[in-house]
Amino acid sequence: MNNFEIKTKIRFGEGSLKSLQDIKNKKVLVITDPFMVKSKAIDKILVNLNNSTYDVFSDIAPDPPIETIVTGIEVFKKVNPDVIIALGGGSAIDAAKVINDFSRQILNDNRVEFIAIPTTSGTGSEVTSFSVITDKQKGIKYPLVSNNLIPDVAILDPELVKTVPDFITADTGMDVLTHAIEAYVSSDANDFSDALAEKSIKLVFEYLVNAYKNGNDSKAREKMHNASCLAGISFNQTSLGINHSIAHALGAKFHIPHGRANAILLPYVIEYNADIKGYTNRDYTLASEKYAEISKLLGFNSATVRAGVKNLVNAIKKLQKELNMPASLKECNVNLDETDNIKDEIAFLAINDGCTKSNPKVSTEKDIIEILNKIK
Ligand code: NAD
């Protein structure tokens, strides 16, 4: 038996922040990053909290470290909130999820409502049971997975993403695409997760470049925000694959933004999973057939599975060029000698990452090293 469920209530579209006015006579704790305070984006939230009292914890940094989680738990214990609002990109939402869950366990308090308000269109964290926390000392990113982490409510107001700079729009948008594609070929994919991933992929190809070129394009911003959430619901069902496993290790070791690391890897992981060199006309891997289905969905020539896979890979590379993204570690200014020295460690971390289990092809550390050699 299979099961598909969405715990999170989703409010979306322009003006959806107004739904915060439904919070009445509560103690609210807003967890966010310093940019949201400095840029006054937080005011768009606070103005809707007239009927309640609030505190703000705004110390969250990208790739949230364990130390910030510990401080956040102290703040939670002091405030003892009825409602948590996580405002920001994946980092702020992930941090708030763990602060909320750990604090509730410590205080044995299950009545706190958790509202996630994403300000990037990327991680889908507003609807997932995932949270990625970083041990900076050890240089390791830990993906935590628990149903306790799933937000109760997600508010997708495209107004908040209009300020995202173009290069972050590109990074986070490619994160969406990687989520949707990895969900689509995951060993746990099903008809429900496929439907969500397909729509997400179509929206990314249609709207990401417009959102990148013109941040004020309301329609492109709204569609990318929806695409991010759709991909999140999809991969929450299916988990991800080695693209994410390697990106986690690269992000922790070389501080490459998460979406950028995913984007660099994506064409090579597709080629690896599809086994593009190895198959004959009658001997396709299931993953290669699914990549070809994506190609067909996007209107690319997919007369054969091989052509479909190749055209998808080429379209992704073209998209990266249009978004002016680096295509290799060297172009991310990574010291290649350093990469060579820790290749084995990155491969070990990737193979042991929680996302590896659902990759469509069983992978070895040697496979990961081969992929790393290709993205140098
Ligand atoms: P982020 O949250 O780290 O933010 C990146 C930068 O963008 C920050 O400097 C932030 O201040 C800025 N920013 C955010 N919103 C902005 C806005 N509206 N205008 C201007 N600047 C803005 O980036 P992200 O890509 O959203 O999240 C990445 C993190 O999420 C990583 O730690 C990654 O591992 C994790 N992640 C989590 C999941 C999940 O399911 N929980 C999935 C994928 C990735």
Side-chain angles (χ1 to χ4, degrees), residues 9-66:
K9 295 190 184 92
I10 300 167
R11 326 261 185 245
F12 60 98
E14 294 269 335
S16 49
L17 283 178
K18 287 205 174 76
S19 63
L20 290 170
Q21 291 173 8
D22 296 343
I23 304 171
K24 296 211 160 67
N25 303 319
K26 303 276 188 200
K27 259 189 291 176
V28 179
L29 175 59
V30 182
I31 299 181
T32 190
D33 73 28
F35 175 81
M36 293 298 138
V37 177
K38 204 169 136 222
S39 67
K40 298 197 188 307
I42 195 170
D43 293 354
K44 296 184 176 142
I45 309 306
L46 302 182
V47 75
N48 286 299
L49 296 178
N50 279 341
N51 301 319
S52 291
T53 59
Y54 57 78
D55 286 271
V56 176
F57 175 57
S58 63
D59 286 2
I60 312 298
D63 298 333
I66 294 168

Side-chain angles (χ1 to χ4, degrees), residues 33 35-36 63 89-91 94 119-120 125 128 130 141 160 163:
D33 73 28
F35 175 81
M36 293 298 138
D63 298 333
S91 296
D94 280 6
T119 63
T120 58
S125 182
T128 72
F130 289 75
K141 279 178 109 169
L160 288 170
T163 50

Side-chain angles (χ1 to χ4, degrees), residues 47-296:
V47 75
N48 286 299
L49 296 178
N50 279 341
N51 301 319
S52 291
T53 59
Y54 57 78
D55 286 271
V56 176
F57 175 57
S58 63
D59 286 2
I60 312 298
D63 298 333
I66 294 168
E67 292 77 4
T68 314
I69 305 298
V70 174
T71 314
I73 292 171
E74 289 312 312
V75 174
F76 186 113
K77 286 201 293 202
K78 210 162 105 203
V79 174
N80 194 16
D82 308 302
V83 179
I84 292 279
I85 296 180
L87 171 72
S91 296
I93 297 177
D94 280 6
K97 279 164 137 177
V98 177
I99 292 168
N100 181 47
D101 184 35
F102 285 13
S103 305
R104 287 200 310 203
Q105 288 184 43
I106 293 166
L107 300 174
N108 199 11
D109 179 356
N110 271 324
R111 75 203 151 90
V112 183
E113 186 180 26
F114 188 99
I115 301 175
I117 308 180
T119 63
T120 58
S121 305
T123 67
S125 182
E126 67 275 10
V127 286
T128 72
S129 53
F130 289 75
S131 170
V132 186
I133 301 301
T134 301
D135 183 332
K136 298 257 180 204
Q137 264 96 47
K138 289 195 186 143
I140 299 179
K141 279 178 109 169
Y142 293 105
L144 311 178
V145 191
S146 160
N147 282 343
N148 292 341
L149 298 175
I150 305 175
D152 300 302
V153 179
I155 303 179
L156 312 178
D157 195 321
E159 193 53 36
L160 288 170
V161 281
K162 286 188 179 161
T163 50
V164 178
D166 58 2
F167 67 97
I168 297 181
T169 300
D171 291 343
T172 49
M174 290 305 287
D175 194 21
V176 175
L177 185 63
T178 312
H179 290 152
I181 292 181
E182 289 215 288
Y184 199 68
V185 300
S186 155
S187 55
D188 288 336
N190 56 58
D191 287 345
F192 295 86
S193 59
D194 279 0
L196 294 155
E198 281 177 4
K199 183 67 183 178
S200 179
I201 292 166
K202 275 187 87 160
L203 289 174
V204 171
F205 272 91
E206 208 169 333
Y207 292 101
L208 176 55
V209 173
N210 289 350
Y212 169 79
K213 286 190 175 155
N214 177 10
N216 282 317
D217 182 333
S218 300
K219 187 167 181 197
R221 287 299 198 184
E222 179 171 2
K223 295 293 184 183
M224 279 306 302
H225 223 27
N226 293 347
S228 171
C229 188
L230 290 164
I233 303 169
S234 184
F235 85 76
N236 200 44
Q237 284 287 310
T238 60
S239 189
L240 295 160
I242 58 163
N243 206 111
H244 266 78
S245 308
I246 306 173
H248 288 149
L250 290 176
K253 293 292 174 205
F254 301 123
H255 310 292
I256 304 172
H258 176 70
R260 198 173 304 170
N262 270 329
I264 291 170
L265 286 158
L266 189 55
Y268 302 98
V269 170
I270 291 176
E271 281 175 353
Y272 162 78
N273 279 337
D275 231 342
I276 200 162
K277 281 182 260 54
Y279 57 77
T280 67
N281 270 350
R282 262 170 292 137
D283 184 20
Y284 299 125
T285 61
L286 178 60
S288 62
E289 285 178 7
K290 292 203 83 173
Y291 290 130
E293 273 176 38
I294 298 175
S295 245
K296 197 167 164 195

